[in-house]
Amino acid sequence: MFKRGHGVDTYLATDTRTGAEVVLKAIDSQVVHAAARLRFEHETRVLRQLTGTGLAELYDSGEADNRLYLVQPLVPGRTLEALLRSGPLPVEEVLTIAIGIAGALSTAHEVGIVHRDVKPANVIVEVNAGRIDAVTLIDFGFARSALLDESVREDLVGTVRYLAPEAAGLLSATPDERSDLYAVGILLFECLTGRPPFPGPSVSGLLRQHLSMPAPAVCDIRSDVPRVLDVILQRLLRKDPVDRYQSAAALAYDVQALRSLLATGDPDPRLTIGRVDHRQHLTDPAFVGRDAELASLRALLTEISDGGSGLVLLDAESGGGKSRLLAELASQAVGLGITALHGQGIRDGVQLPFTLVQGVARDLVNRDDAERLRAGLTERLGDSAQVTAHVLPPLRPLLDVAVDDTGLEAFGPDAFGEERSLAALRLFLSVIATPENPVLLVLDDCQWADTLTVRLLAELFSADADLPPHLGVVAAFRSEEVADDHPLRNLAAAKALHLGRLPDSAITLLAESMAGPLPAQAVATVTRLADGSPFMGAAVLRGLVECGALTAGDGGWVVDEAALAEVQTERRSAAVLVRRLD
């Protein structure tokens, strides 16, 4: 005997007929608790249904000498838990593990079996010549299926670290196949980073994190992880099961597609995930169709990493996807070791000076490494520290200066006039960017930027100024709200980047990332009404579902021809879009 637990004894043995090593599990049928007996009998019935790659099949079962037993072939290799003691794994190995587990779960889910305890200890990996070439999912002792006795079918089981919110009873949703996929997301995160996404430390704290704490971006922790793999993990780890992958088969398809793209030599390929995932509910759209623009912005990241600087003016019509592009850029910046700080324009906020920079200051103070940034900042600002603290109140926790807003006369009649404020902020933005810590300012909705902020950018990047090294700025605005003669459009040192309309092929990818496979009529309606706008594409698709023109069936999405024809009329199209906008 080499293992005992939950009333089950596990033995290594040899089949005398074939000489093969086997694993034998047994329980004393007269002593063990009734619930344990029910689970053991259920595991035996489950294993009879499971055959295929990545699964340890049932070899034999029965009862002898008042002991129930089952026999399985011994799976060669060691547990993934043991392998992870040596630290994170290479990306290629993690993809192999993901495909293996997803394939095994797909087989189980197709026959109505939910594993309910996916974790590294229940995954066996076989390593040959330094590479993982076989992955096996074991231990279906806690599995749930229609065969399980109702008295124990809804018991909470599983290991808390890998437990989906609904499996822990934190959501009013029935645990199902998607709960297994959440556990896979936790497991893969651990494979890539060497630690789980939610650290705890207590059981209650861990459960709260599962329910409400967003999973960290793997790319922020490890720079060699392709961004699309991070996107896959984020979808696996959505709190609501309707927003996750809906099938293990779809997960396996996307990971295999990613592995094929990586094999071509592209270390960070583009891939629209979820296109084959048959969904009952829509999820958030993927980032699609902006590869060329993103590549142009990445050139700015390279420039500031190498000690340069730059200002990019990014414009698009409303709904053109500028905010989504900025989010993708910021994610890439973090992966390159660049600090991305965000500022947001506010409608009717032009009377507030430096509104966009106030947001940058708040973002800076709220960073986890704010204490590190505090070190030496006041000294580098010198006489400008107190001016900066007055102009940007959110910065006061980082600056070791006392600010008495009622005693400003001590600094002279022009102490906090425009010129002195601009000079202080130019210095502040220059000194926070260093060779060790390049900085990207991401300024969105600059159509509402106040005059002083636009002037700050103009002076910071003017031809006569010493350009601040390691500092980049992307200022985004809505095309239709900024006139041709607006000062923002006439910043001489800026590079202009316009987001045009997306082609129909990209809108199709966007819709499929939200819904999975769609009927051709639905795709045609979405692309026509979206007219190249990613925002409108997502809004139209959601509108089709809300008005009943598109419904989820057992075999996929189904079009209601009459309702769709009504939507396609000009009047009805407008009504659908207005409701979505509201």
Side-chain angles (χ1 to χ4, degrees):
M1 184 174 71
F2 73 96
K3 184 178 178 183
R4 180 191 296 271
H6 303 289
V8 181
D9 299 328
T10 306
Y11 304 83
L12 290 177
T14 302
D15 184 348
T16 56
R17 295 168 295 179
T18 64
E21 289 188 288
V22 297
V23 175
L24 184 146
K25 293 183 180 180
I27 62 172
D28 189 323
S29 60
Q30 295 184 331
V31 176
V32 74
H33 189 275
R37 178 186 177 112
L38 288 173
R39 291 198 179 281
F40 189 88
E41 292 173 339
H42 176 253
E43 182 179 5
T44 303
R45 291 195 292 270
V46 162
L47 291 175
R48 288 198 184 102
Q49 299 184 68
L50 296 179
T51 59
T53 304
L55 295 164
E57 303 174 5
L58 183 67
Y59 187 79
D60 191 13
S61 66
E63 183 171 4
D65 299 328
N66 295 322
R67 291 176 68 79
L68 296 173
Y69 68 88
L70 63 85
V71 183
Q72 295 175 275
L74 177 65
V75 179
R78 56 177 174 157
T79 67
L80 180 58
E81 181 181 52
L83 186 64
L84 288 175
R85 294 192 186 110
S86 300
L89 303 178
V91 170
E92 176 63 29
E93 304 287 81
V94 176
L95 297 182
T96 299
I97 291 168
I99 292 169
I101 296 175
L105 285 175
S106 180
T107 300
H109 294 169
E110 285 176 1
V111 293
I113 296 168
V114 181
H115 188 284
R116 294 205 293 180
D117 199 20
V118 176
K119 59 184 179 182
N122 286 337
V123 177
I124 303 293
V125 293
E126 185 176 3
V127 179
N128 289 311
R131 296 173 60 87
I132 296 174
D133 61 7
V135 179
T136 305
L137 181 63
I138 63 170
D139 199 350
F140 281 78
F142 286 139
R144 181 184 186 276
S145 77
L147 300 172
L148 186 60
D149 190 277
E150 291 184 2
S151 63
V152 294
R153 186 178 299 169
E154 304 303 332
D155 287 355
L156 295 178
V157 299
T159 304
V160 174
R161 177 178 289 182
Y162 306 91
L163 212 55
E166 70 278 7
L170 303 175
L171 293 179
S172 58
T174 301
D176 57 19
E177 292 85 353
R178 298 166 297 182
S179 307
D180 280 348
L181 297 180
Y182 183 92
V184 173
I186 302 285
L187 178 148
L188 296 179
F189 188 102
E190 191 170 353
C191 287
L192 288 166
T193 67
R195 61 177 176 84
F198 309 118
S202 65
V203 171
S204 60
L206 183 55
L207 290 175
R208 283 195 298 272
Q209 291 169 357
H210 278 302
L211 179 62
S212 59
M213 179 179 176
V218 174
C219 291
D220 293 353
I221 303 170
R222 182 171 165 180
S223 60
D224 66 328
V225 173
R227 290 188 304 279
V228 69
L229 181 54
D230 202 355
V231 173
I232 289 172
L233 292 189
Q234 292 295 329
R235 180 164 289 195
L236 285 168
L237 293 174
R238 297 285 179 85
K239 306 304 182 184
D240 192 330
V242 304
D243 291 326
R244 296 179 205 144
Y245 275 96
Q246 302 299 289
S247 72
L251 170 62
Y253 179 93
D254 283 349
V255 177
Q256 183 62 63
L258 172 58
R259 184 161 71 173
S260 298
L261 290 172
L262 290 172
T264 66
D266 185 350
D268 195 19
R270 303 300 307 174
L271 175 67
T272 302
I273 70 168
R275 296 184 62 199
V276 302
D277 198 8
H278 289 277
R279 309 186 63 85
Q280 297 289 312
H281 302 272
L282 301 178
T283 190
D284 292 335
F287 176 74
V288 300
R290 297 298 187 194
D291 293 347
E293 294 89 344
L294 186 59
S296 179
L297 291 172
R298 277 183 63 88
L300 174 62
L301 301 183
T302 302
E303 180 73 17
I304 62 178
S305 293
D306 293 340
S309 62
L311 170 63
V312 175
L313 297 179
L314 174 68
D315 75 285
E317 294 181 358
S318 298
K322 61 180 178 60
S323 297
R324 183 68 179 84
L325 178 59
L326 291 177
E328 188 71 16
L329 176 66
S331 175
Q332 294 198 21
V334 171
L336 294 172
I338 297 171
T339 298
L341 301 174
H342 302 79
Q344 184 88 27
I346 301 174
R347 184 188 291 274
D348 300 328
V350 292
Q351 73 278 11
L352 300 175
F354 303 109
T355 299
L356 284 155
V357 191
Q358 303 287 348
V360 169
R362 283 190 293 271
D363 201 7
L364 182 63
V365 172
N366 291 330
R367 289 179 57 86
D368 293 337
D369 56 358
E371 287 300 320
R372 177 181 65 81
L373 295 169
R374 180 198 300 269
L377 181 58
T378 304
E379 291 73 18
R380 295 197 301 274
L381 289 173
D383 294 340
S384 296
Q386 197 154 12
V387 182
T388 305
H390 174 75
V391 177
L392 299 179
L395 277 182
R396 294 179 185 180
L398 288 184
L399 300 175
D400 299 323
V401 293
V403 178
D404 183 0
D405 292 334
T406 64
L408 303 184
E409 64 277 1
F411 291 90
D414 192 38
F416 296 106
E418 290 183 2
E419 297 301 328
R420 192 167 183 182
S421 298
L422 286 165
L425 292 189
R426 287 198 306 271
L427 178 61
F428 165 69
L429 294 177
S430 299
V431 301
I432 62 172
T434 65
E436 300 76 26
N437 185 60
V439 170
L440 174 71
L441 303 185
V442 180
L443 309 179
D444 199 4
D445 284 330
C446 289
Q447 69 273 8
W448 297 321
D450 57 280
T451 303
L452 283 177
T453 299
V454 177
R455 185 177 167 189
L456 173 64
L457 293 177
E459 294 184 3
L460 195 64
F461 292 97
S462 71
D464 299 331
D466 292 330
L467 297 180
H470 301 288
L471 177 68
V473 178
V474 178
F477 58 89
R478 296 179 186 174
S479 309
E480 69 273 18
E481 295 193 34
V482 177
D484 291 342
D485 60 351
H486 191 286
L488 190 62
R489 288 192 184 269
N490 295 293
L491 296 175
K495 176 182 178 180
L497 181 61
H498 174 69
L499 296 187
R501 296 179 180 277
L502 287 179
D504 288 352
S505 58
I507 296 295
T508 299
L509 289 177
L510 180 143
E512 290 177 342
S513 75
M514 297 174 64
L518 283 166
Q521 309 100 297
V523 171
T525 301
V526 170
T527 55
R528 181 176 66 83
L529 295 181
D531 193 24
S533 165
F535 173 82
M536 295 305 292
V540 169
L541 182 59
R542 294 189 188 280
L544 293 181
V545 173
E546 290 174 358
C547 73
L550 190 64
T551 57
D554 293 338
W557 294 97
V558 179
V559 167
D560 183 316
E561 299 286 355
L564 186 64
E566 175 69 10
V567 168
Q568 290 173 337
T569 66
E570 183 175 346
R571 176 186 60 80
R572 183 58 174 165
S573 295
V576 168
L577 295 180
V578 166
R579 184 164 61 249
R580 283 305 312 163
L581 289 171
D582 287 341

